[in-house]
Structure formats: C-alpha cells, structure tokens
Amino acid sequence: MTDRVDIPGALTSALRDARHVCVLTGAGISAESGVPTFRDAQEGLWAQYDPLQLATPEAFEENPTLIWQWYRWRRELVAKAKPNPGHLALAQLAGLVPRLTLVTQNVDGLHQRAGNTDVIEFHGNLFDDRCHAEGCIIDSSSSQQHGEPDVPTCPRCGANLRPGVVWFGEAIPDVALNESFAAAADCNVFLSIGTSSLVYPAAGIADIARENGAIVAEINPEPTMRAASYDFSIAANAGVALPKLLELLAA
Ligand code: OAD
C-alpha cells in the first residue's frame, strides 16, 4: 500500500454540503496505532488462539481465567497505544460539519482520546468491568479478587466480573442500537472505515443509510464484498485517506 490516495471530488463535495455525517469504524482504523484487528493473525503469546473463539460468553464460562488474561493483555496494549492520524482526522471532521455521529465497533476508546465526543460504542468498552450475573457496570476499583485465579468478582453479588464488551451471541445495548440506526437513517453522507462489514447488526448500518438516500463511502485497503454496492470505495489505509480528505475539505 502506497501513501498515494485519490479522494473522489464528488465525496468531498457531498461532505461539504452535508447536514449530518455518520461514520462507522472498525478495528482497521486502530491498526495503525498498533492494535491488532480481529481477522488478521495475532502475534506472539496469542498466536495460538482465535480471537473470535475468545469473544463469547461460552468461552468465558468455560475458562474465565484465560479470557481475563487475554483481555488484560489487550488492555495493556491499548493503554500504550496512541490515536493515529486517522482518529485525529475524524476528530477534526466533527468540527467541520454541522453534525457528526461516530459509531464505533472498537472497544479501545481511541476515538475519545483523539477528541471525538458523543461516540456510540456499539460493542462496549474494553476498560469497563461488568457483572456476568446482573449485567451492571462495576467500578473496577471496587471489584474483588477471590475464587478463580485472576478473575475479579462483583462486590454486590459475588458473581464473576467480565470485561464490559459485547460478545458474539449477545445483544447490542438498546440505546447504542437505536441511536446508530436513527443516525444512519438521518445522515446525508455515511463513511464505513476499517471494518470487514461481516458482523451484524453493525454491518447493516450502511444499508440503512443507503436506503434513506445517503451517499456511502468505504475506506479500507482491502475493499470489502460490500464495496461494490457503495458510491465510493477508497482502497487505502485510514491513516492516509482521512488526513487527505480533511486537507481537501479545508482547501
Ligand atoms: P475485522 O478484523 O473484521 O476487520 C478489520 C478491517 O480493517 C479489514 O477489512 C481490514 O482490511 C481493514 N484494515 C486493516 N488495516 C486498515 C487500515 N490501516 N485502515 C483501514 N482499514 C484497515 O474488524 P471489524 O470489522 O471491526 O466484535 O470486526 C467487527 C467485529 O468483529 C468486532 O467489533 C468484534 C469482532 O468480533 C465483537 O467482539 C462482538
């Protein structure tokens, strides 16, 4: 992948005229911050595990210690990571358009650290602890440690705590789902960035935007199967394409 990227003039114009821009991001936007994506090979210690097999309630019930080890590894990795030019460009874009709704499937908090406010965390947040029995978010400083090694427990009911993310087979929180769908239906331009668009319901949000007349563009170095049905497909890294887009918008 080179640093050369062509941004269609019609996309820049649509963004200039947009009343409401909705953006959906996936793991690819954080790849340039050193956070591994889900469907690329893992490295080192975790190379032997399929991340998709670890992100399930069944895996947690079977081996909570293993799941916590994996999530602690991810917390440490993300805590050391910094927002990259793609994240920073999206934070700037929010200041250039009348309204921007940012929906992320990422649980890493890098959009907020880049300066975006009002981020819809579709799959939760890596740094939250949640009671596996009651579902409530627990302040991690009050979680307790007994029972299984390395598995914190709920100070209210004693059940195991789990990371506050959405796993396969689990429902998206109602507020995140409803707000995302409403934003997609209302927006004039929809950007799908760094996602394989394979996991529903997130993968269906672009369709809602299209069906309601929005211009839809994808930014991904490996155009997805869905790209052909979008108005624009920009085959580039987000950290290259988004700053270029901002440069054109500001010109
Ligand atoms: P994936 O790992 O499925 O896809 C990452 C996408 O990012 C791929 O299409 C890559 O081509 C693309 N990509 C890689 N580097 C990029 C870059 N520098 N700039 C732009 N794009 C780049 O990740 P997601 O689509 O986010 O859910 O996965 C969706 C969900 O599946 C995740 O939220 C997670 C996972 O299981 C749950 O845990 C519920």
Side-chain angles (χ1 to χ4, degrees):
M1 185 60 50
T2 69
D3 274 5
R4 221 190 103 69
V5 54
D6 288 322
I7 306 290
L11 175 60
T12 318
S13 302
L15 281 166
R16 265 200 201 103
D17 294 343
R19 170 184 48 80
H20 183 185
V21 176
C22 183
V23 182
L24 172 71
T25 63
I29 195 164
S30 295
E32 290 159 85
S33 294
V35 181
T37 65
F38 283 88
R39 290 168 181 80
D40 293 328
Q42 300 285 301
E43 290 170 8
L45 178 64
W46 295 100
Q48 56 187 307
Y49 294 100
D50 175 356
L52 305 182
Q53 301 293 325
L54 297 176
T56 69
E58 292 77 20
F60 181 72
E61 277 149 26
E62 196 174 312
N63 192 344
T65 302
L66 174 74
I67 302 306
W68 265 113
Q69 284 169 345
W70 188 57
Y71 276 94
R72 285 204 181 93
W73 172 77
R74 290 184 60 199
R75 282 182 179 182
E76 278 170 29
L77 190 133
V78 165
K80 283 186 214 141
K82 292 194 174 63
N84 67 54
H87 295 110
L88 297 170
L90 279 184
Q92 268 181 277
L93 180 63
L96 290 181
V97 296
R99 182 174 170 209
L100 183 135
T101 302
L102 178 50
V103 183
T104 187
Q105 296 165 87
N106 299 344
V107 296
D108 56 29
L110 286 171
H111 286 304
Q112 293 90 326
R113 282 168 58 194
N116 280 103
T117 50
D118 299 330
V119 178
I120 300 176
E121 293 186 307
F122 208 73
H123 289 160
N125 190 294
L126 180 61
F127 295 95
D128 283 342
D129 286 353
R130 184 140 58 86
C131 175
H132 192 49
E134 296 179 328
C136 48
I137 298 290
I138 300 291
D139 175 358
S140 55
S141 63
S142 69
S143 66
Q144 298 166 354
Q145 191 77 61
H146 50 71
E148 295 256 10
D150 296 332
V151 180
T153 51
C154 177
R156 285 158 47 105
C157 72
N160 284 343
L161 289 180
R162 50 167 283 179
V165 300
V166 176
W167 282 329
F168 283 107
E170 295 184 323
I172 305 300
D174 281 347
V175 174
L177 194 71
N178 295 338
E179 287 185 356
S180 305
F181 284 10
D186 181 65
C187 73
N188 315 107
V189 179
F190 185 93
L191 303 177
S192 176
I193 304 170
T195 175
S196 56
S197 297
L198 291 172
V199 177
Y200 282 83
I205 301 178
D207 294 333
I208 298 175
R210 262 168 44 85
E211 284 156 16
N212 285 278
I215 286 174
V216 179
E218 175 180 274
I219 298 176
N220 194 317
E222 308 288 340
T224 66
M225 306 269 285
R226 296 172 142 260
S229 65
Y230 297 157
D231 298 285
F232 304 106
S233 168
I234 299 170
N237 286 342
V240 174
L242 286 169
K244 181 71 187 172
L245 184 61
L246 260 287
E247 193 187 307
L248 294 171
L249 271 179

